[in-house]
Amino acid sequence: MMMMSPFYRSIIFFFFISLILRSILTVHSHDQREFHRKISLRPTLPEGNTLHVRPGSSFKIAVFADLHFGEDAWTEWGPQQDVNSIKVMSTVLDLQHPDLVVYLGDVITANNIAIHNASLYWDQAISPTRDRGIPWASVFGNHDDMPFEWSIDWFSSTGIPPLHCPTSGSSPSESEGGKDCSFKGTTRLELMMNELKMNNLSYSKLGPKALWPSISNYVLKLSSTDDPESVIAYMYFLDSGGGSYAEVISNAQVKWFNRTSQAINPNSSVPEIIFWHIPSQAYKTVAPRFDAHRNCIGSMFAEEVASQEAEMGMMKLLEGRSSVKAVFVGHNHGLDWCCPYKKLWLCYARHTGYGGYGNWSRGARILEITTQRFSLKSRIHMEDGSLHSEVLLSSTASEK
């Protein structure tokens, strides 16, 4: 048997070593590609959809509902109501110092606004928040693009009153013969585009075009500054219609919510909070009757629920998601309660604006999210500074 020289043995040894290393590197490279492929497949939200909270801190949200700016602008009463509404918001903002403000619909009363671009009044409504450098998000209500309503009295012997049709925020002018006025209204799309164009603190979104005529459909996520990839909560905003079209959350919106929530929160492991303006018909089923408030928490039970025209599947979908903690609505000025419903809570905000019907005291709903161990608390902050109706919304009555 021929003996192999040390030189050839070394060559063979290094050849086998190189094969082993190549195999290891190939597997590692495949694993890296697979890892990056999985990372790229993780559902993400567009840039600008994330709000941050500092570790160990809570995240506070002020909800302003039914401001109704621009109402009866041709009277002395109308403009004064907007001034009063600004005072309410300013009081809440200065005492609560929220991290986010939610404008929960009926920001303006478009059916009373006789100018070409109703964004002038919309801009006034968000000014207390913007002036304090606080970010906000908005959804539409039924009055925000409602067609102008001509008063029948204007065609009586008293005639059409002098109309104030401002062309800028600081120079309202009396328009002789209505020459500076416009009665065509401002669409939802125009209102939202103007808000986004003029304000870099706005987290509002136009929403998917396929959901038209509804506009304000989007989701924001709350993350820690220490770990931006972790998600503390998702906040969904939906357009509940009214004004220029039916008062309803459409089946197309339901499908959008289902696709979106399944993509970003497939196991319902992250808490979810929902905002829209007009209450769903489920609110009627939990509405307190007279003094029998059951497990509901609030201070105003002054009227019946004025719900959406139809139910297209949204509530059934929310009922099946254990991650959904609460739904917040406005619309009814005389209600401010939270009631347990299935495994979640149905809540009203509090009538914030001096515009609109009713003489009840004004205020705002405050939400507070704690992050170490998730909890969602809420209370009502009144314009006189008092607080009431505190409730823990991260658990239902059946879990207490």
Side-chain angles (χ1 to χ4, degrees):
M1 184 174 178
M2 192 170 86
M3 296 292 294
M4 189 178 294
S5 69
F7 174 74
Y8 285 109
R9 285 201 302 271
S10 298
I11 291 176
I12 293 170
F13 173 79
F14 283 113
F15 173 76
F16 280 111
I17 290 295
S18 66
L19 286 176
I20 294 170
L21 287 174
R22 183 179 299 175
S23 175
I24 292 172
L25 289 173
T26 299
V27 171
H28 178 69
S29 176
H30 175 268
D31 288 346
Q32 274 199 321
R33 286 196 302 271
E34 183 66 15
F35 172 78
H36 288 295
R37 184 187 72 83
K38 289 179 179 178
I39 290 292
S40 67
L41 289 175
R42 287 179 184 172
T44 58
L45 294 173
E47 188 176 352
N49 285 57
T50 304
L51 293 150
H52 294 100
V53 58
R54 293 184 300 275
S57 300
S58 62
F59 189 86
K60 192 180 292 185
I61 303 169
V63 182
F64 295 149
D66 298 280
L67 292 165
H68 289 281
F69 269 64
E71 193 160 297
D72 289 355
W74 50 86
T75 67
E76 290 184 6
W77 176 89
Q80 184 59 46
Q81 306 319 300
D82 295 346
V83 172
N84 295 340
S85 298
I86 286 176
K87 289 179 180 177
V88 177
M89 290 187 283
S90 298
T91 297
V92 172
L93 295 173
D94 290 340
L95 291 175
Q96 288 291 335
H97 304 289
D99 302 289
L100 177 73
V101 169
V102 172
Y103 286 90
L104 200 58
D106 282 4
V107 177
I108 60 176
T109 303
N111 46 304
N112 274 187
I113 295 176
I115 61 174
H116 176 71
N117 186 1
S119 292
L120 171 63
Y121 289 105
W122 191 282
D123 193 60
Q124 289 176 6
I126 63 176
S127 63
T129 301
R130 183 187 55 229
D131 293 347
R132 288 163 174 78
I134 302 170
W136 71 88
S138 61
V139 294
F140 287 114
N142 54 299
H143 280 277
D144 290 317
D145 73 342
M146 187 175 285
F148 186 84
E149 294 179 348
W150 292 83
S151 171
I152 196 66
D153 292 338
W154 290 8
F155 301 94
S156 68
S157 59
T158 58
I160 297 176
L163 296 179
H164 296 272
C165 300
T167 56
S168 69
S170 58
S171 58
S173 59
E174 191 172 294
S175 301
E176 188 176 335
K179 64 180 181 180
D180 295 322
C181 300
S182 172
F183 305 96
K184 75 175 186 64
T186 308
T187 67
R188 275 167 153 79
L189 186 60
E190 290 172 307
L191 288 167
M192 185 61 80
M193 290 180 70
N194 287 332
E195 178 186 324
L196 298 178
K197 182 170 63 177
M198 301 298 293
N199 301 287
N200 59 10
L201 286 170
S202 173
Y203 277 76
S204 305
K205 307 295 175 188
L206 287 170
K209 293 180 181 179
L211 300 184
W212 183 88
S214 67
I215 297 297
S216 51
N217 304 285
Y218 56 98
V219 56
L220 302 178
K221 72 174 180 178
L222 180 62
S223 295
S224 169
T225 53
D226 269 10
D227 186 6
E229 293 301 316
S230 68
V231 185
I232 297 166
Y234 287 111
M235 295 177 283
Y236 293 85
F237 300 80
L238 291 105
D239 189 338
S240 55
S244 60
Y245 71 101
E247 296 182 351
V248 67
I249 292 178
S250 70
N251 184 256
Q253 289 170 280
V254 175
K255 290 178 178 177
W256 169 81
F257 179 91
N258 189 40
R259 288 193 306 269
T260 303
S261 59
Q262 289 294 337
I264 63 177
N265 195 15
N267 300 318
S268 294
S269 57
V270 179
E272 296 170 320
I273 306 167
I274 318 294
F275 300 93
W276 65 65
H277 179 71
I278 304 175
S280 67
Q281 294 188 356
Y283 274 71
K284 290 183 174 181
T285 68
V286 300
R289 295 288 189 272
F290 305 106
D291 293 328
H293 298 162
R294 292 179 289 181
N295 293 316
C296 300
I297 298 173
S299 69
M300 283 206 305
F301 307 89
E303 58 178 331
E304 294 184 357
V305 171
S307 70
Q308 296 170 33
E309 296 174 39
E311 176 60 52
M312 299 296 180
M314 192 67 202
M315 288 310 304
K316 184 176 181 180
L317 183 60
L318 297 184
E319 292 164 21
R321 290 187 65 79
S322 59
S323 47
V324 176
K325 302 304 177 185
V327 179
F328 297 95
V329 303
H331 196 55
N332 281 106
H333 299 183
L335 302 175
D336 73 349
W337 45 258
C338 282
C339 294
Y341 174 76
K342 306 294 177 71
K343 294 183 179 180
L344 55 99
W345 287 83
L346 301 181
C347 293
Y348 276 97
R350 175 82 188 205
H351 184 200
T352 307
Y354 269 78
Y357 71 91
N359 293 315
W360 301 287
S361 298
R362 274 65 175 183
R365 182 168 289 281
I366 305 299
L367 311 180
E368 191 162 0
I369 299 171
T370 56
T371 59
Q372 296 285 19
R373 181 181 177 186
F374 180 87
S375 72
L376 175 63
K377 293 180 181 179
S378 182
R379 58 188 175 274
I380 301 294
H381 188 122
M382 300 302 295
E383 59 183 320
D384 64 2
S386 62
L387 303 172
H388 62 78
S389 303
E390 183 161 324
V391 56
L392 178 65
L393 300 171
S394 45
S395 63
T396 61
S398 61
E399 295 173 325
K400 291 181 180 180

